Amino acid sequence: MLPDPSEARLTVDLDALAANHAFLKSQAGAAEVAPVVKADAYGLGLAPVARRLWAEGARTFFVARLAEGERLREALSPEAPTIYVLDGCPPGAAERLAAADLVPVLNSLPQLEAWATAASRRRLPAALHVDTGMNRLGLRPEEVAALVAAPDRLGGLDVGLVMSHLACAEVPEHPLNRAQLEAFRKAAAHFPHARKSLANSAGIFLGEDYRFDMVRPGISLYGGGPLGRPDSRLRAVATLEAPILQVRAVGSGETVGYGAAYTAETPGRIAVLAAGYADGVLRSQSPGGYGWTGGMSHPFRGRISMDLIAMDLSGRPDAKAGDLVELLGADALLDEQAAAGGTVAYELLVRIGARARRTYVGEASWTRR
Ligand SMILES: *Cc1c(COP(=O)(O)O)cnc(C)c1O
């Protein structure tokens, strides 16, 4: 299909991804950087993202779901990355996990039993998730202790990785960070031969203590600041742009858009952009969000609708229909736009709509031998 001149476009800059990967490596010390590419690489495209990261030297990846692991295995074939599945081994998953050579991050004793049963016919690798205070996934420390006391429950499992996940890493002074670190050290000490992993993006910046053998960054690879605010050391990977469809004058006292949610106090100019919540700009991003064009930011006005956004153009007599407006990118900052919408960079990235036309910059060449 030919490009539609009025559609929103998403450019995924894989050179920026590579630069962020290199930066995180420089911060991770001796720990391996194992990218998290769950949810279609945070909405940016599993295969192109993973292939470029492989080209940059990444050899270990994390996904959330079994099917994501199968897709990743396929996308990186014939190379042989280690792929961990954070959902672990839910009922019915064991044979498919084994068939695709995926390593489940075992989250509970029933999961452990299911994988150990599959491993009774062959030796299978496994990772263990220890819950150290988040109360989401993972074995409780007392379950780990019970397991260590009865090692045959592990059967033929080869536990090569013990991991946990931080609940408050983006708040460095939060006391739960230290408490989780101590609980993790204790639990992990039961597995002297396994590698250890605790830190996500934000955890990398909590200090060397938190890095262990492997770190698992997601959001900061994709340009989100580790502290939930823009970090100039990271580059924007996703650029979302939309053209101006129409520039219109509004008189003082007139309202703009659905619900008449914005009233112009003075005569002004409004740009109507060809993007809306169907393209992934959240309805909650107005008021508060902005577009960037001509070297300036311009606040959104009134409600964001499915296909359209109204944006203030006062003071910009030169702007005209067809001009591109950045909605996310190097100037329209991901963390700021997310905060304006009452959410986090993660959610904004994964909501970039299927309608936005995608272009990749810096794709790794990939041939199947
Ligand atoms: C999503 C996830 C990560 C990555 O977190 P970021 O904050 O995106 O760096 C790491 N570990 C686990 C267990 C996760 O679920």
Side-chain angles (χ1 to χ4, degrees), residues 3-9 241-245 273-275 279 307 355:
D4 173 341
S6 76
E7 69 199 343
R9 48 209 85 173
E241 296 166 299
I244 297 176
L245 281 177
L273 314 182
D279 304 289
D307 313 306
R355 189 168 67 179

Side-chain angles (χ1 to χ4, degrees), residues 64-342:
R65 306 268 186 264
L66 164 63
E68 294 173 352
E70 292 172 332
R71 280 175 52 216
L72 179 58
R73 174 67 66 218
E74 168 70 20
L76 289 182
S77 162
E79 306 297 353
T82 300
I83 302 173
Y84 290 103
V85 178
L86 291 165
D87 279 355
C89 184
E95 283 314 313
R96 274 175 68 183
L97 285 163
D101 195 15
L102 305 173
V103 187
V105 179
L106 303 169
N107 289 311
S108 65
L109 292 173
Q111 285 201 355
L112 195 133
E113 272 152 36
W115 193 236
T117 303
S120 60
R121 294 184 290 283
R122 71 223 115 159
R123 198 155 173 82
L124 288 173
L128 271 193
H129 190 152
V130 183
D131 180 66
T132 52
M134 193 169 192
N135 273 309
R136 208 176 56 165
L137 293 175
L139 278 77
R140 297 182 62 87
E142 57 272 23
E143 291 177 309
V144 174
L147 186 63
V148 171
D152 23 312
R153 289 177 80 171
L154 283 171
L157 292 184
D158 180 9
V159 178
L161 177 72
V162 177
M163 58 159 271
S164 190
H165 193 40
L166 295 164
C168 303
E170 71 294 340
V171 185
E173 65 283 6
H174 199 291
L176 192 51
N177 291 322
R178 273 269 142 210
Q180 286 196 266
L181 175 63
E182 292 315 320
F184 182 62
R185 276 198 181 126
K186 256 201 194 143
H190 293 301
F191 301 89
H193 304 298
R195 299 174 78 202
K196 318 285 187 301
S197 176
L198 179 61
N200 62 341
S201 298
I204 295 171
F205 298 89
L206 290 176
E208 201 188 334
D209 284 1
Y210 288 82
R211 293 183 205 131
F212 293 90
D213 302 305
M214 184 192 290
V215 296
R216 311 184 306 268
I219 194 67
S220 290
L221 283 170
Y222 311 111
L227 300 179
R229 51 177 190 259
D231 186 324
S232 60
R233 299 170 297 177
L234 296 166
R235 285 176 55 190
V237 176
T239 299
L240 183 66
E241 296 166 299
I244 297 176
L245 281 177
Q246 187 179 49
V247 177
R248 55 191 307 123
V250 285
S252 155
E254 291 181 12
T255 64
V256 175
Y258 283 123
Y262 172 75
T263 305
E265 287 185 355
T266 55
R269 271 154 47 89
I270 293 285
V272 180
L273 314 182
Y277 54 76
D279 304 289
V281 180
L282 305 184
R283 203 163 166 277
S284 57
Q285 275 175 260
S286 183
Y290 61 89
W292 182 280
T293 187
M296 288 170 68
S297 78
H298 299 273
F300 297 155
R301 295 301 192 208
R303 301 243 167 97
I304 287 170
S305 40
M306 187 180 291
D307 313 306
L308 300 170
I309 300 172
M311 185 184 88
D312 195 300
L313 261 190
S314 304
R316 282 294 312 287
D318 53 316
K320 58 185 188 310
D323 286 1
L324 277 184
V325 176
E326 185 183 292
L327 300 167
L328 274 185
D331 295 305
L333 302 174
L334 173 64
D335 291 290
E336 280 186 5
Q337 301 286 58

